[in-house]
Amino acid sequence: MRAALAILLLLTLAACGTSRQTVGPGGVQVAEPISCVPYARARSGIQLSGDAWQWWDAAAGRYERGRAPRPGSVLVINRTARMRDGHVAVVSRVVSSREVRVDHANWASGAAKGRITTDQRVVDVSPNNDWSLVRVWYPRINDLGTTAFPARGFVHPRMELASR
């Protein structure tokens, strides 16, 4: 029994040591495993809640929204039958009019579920180059995934000023 408790303690400590942490605006720290929403909130400073797909509407009147990516903005991917909560990812850099790199969490499956991944490709595959349809890098296959996901656009960290 003592040996089993000692092994359990060692495994618990080892798990603590393998979690990755990141710091967002204001020194907010997050650690793995984590889902995309609390990661995006901590990393971007955008104070929205709810499922990822709800961020676009929740940002209306509070944060700037748009179709053009900016570093620090949050890409909002709509929910689908396969992804019922949608997804959010923070733009780390703009590569071109059709490609950005993002930092996000919980994009992978299996053992990588809940992991933070950084500098991952996202490509606009929409017919009108308006970021309404995207393909996302999938680490498991080391390439862009085959699914094109519907995107709502980008929520920018700058708050909108209330009209008077």
Side-chain angles (χ1 to χ4, degrees):
M1 181 69 166
R2 275 186 152 164
L5 286 175
I7 290 171
L8 182 61
L9 178 61
L10 287 174
L11 288 173
T12 303
L13 291 173
C16 291
T18 60
S19 86
R20 201 163 105 187
Q21 292 191 347
T22 189
V23 179
V28 176
Q29 287 192 351
V30 294
E32 296 173 331
I34 190 169
S35 67
C36 64
V37 168
Y39 177 79
R41 187 182 310 115
R43 177 79 171 66
S44 70
I46 295 174
Q47 295 302 306
L48 295 175
S49 56
D51 290 337
W53 69 272
Q54 296 172 313
W55 275 41
W56 183 256
D57 290 335
R62 294 180 62 193
Y63 293 94
E64 289 183 20
R65 301 181 304 170
R67 288 282 177 192
R70 298 180 201 160
S73 296
V74 174
L75 170 64
V76 179
I77 298 176
N78 218 3
R79 66 182 172 174
T80 66
R82 288 178 44 205
M83 191 171 60
R84 63 182 173 83
D85 295 329
H87 188 71
V88 286
V90 181
V91 176
S92 56
R93 63 187 166 115
V94 177
V95 176
S96 70
S97 65
R98 288 238 186 217
E99 182 178 338
V100 295
R101 298 296 171 100
V102 300
D103 299 343
H104 58 168
N106 202 31
W107 186 251
S109 59
K113 187 170 178 61
R115 298 280 186 206
I116 296 166
T117 52
T118 58
D119 203 41
Q120 304 293 293
R121 287 181 71 203
V122 176
V123 176
D124 172 23
V125 294
S126 64
N128 297 324
N129 191 24
D130 62 4
W131 289 93
S132 61
L133 199 61
V134 298
R135 288 181 56 211
V136 182
W137 186 261
Y138 192 53
R140 190 172 182 176
I141 63 170
N142 203 31
D143 200 358
L144 288 171
T146 57
T147 303
F149 293 95
R152 301 295 303 271
F154 298 89
V155 176
H156 305 298
R158 186 171 149 199
M159 297 184 87
E160 287 190 347
L161 298 174
S163 53
R164 296 180 184 223

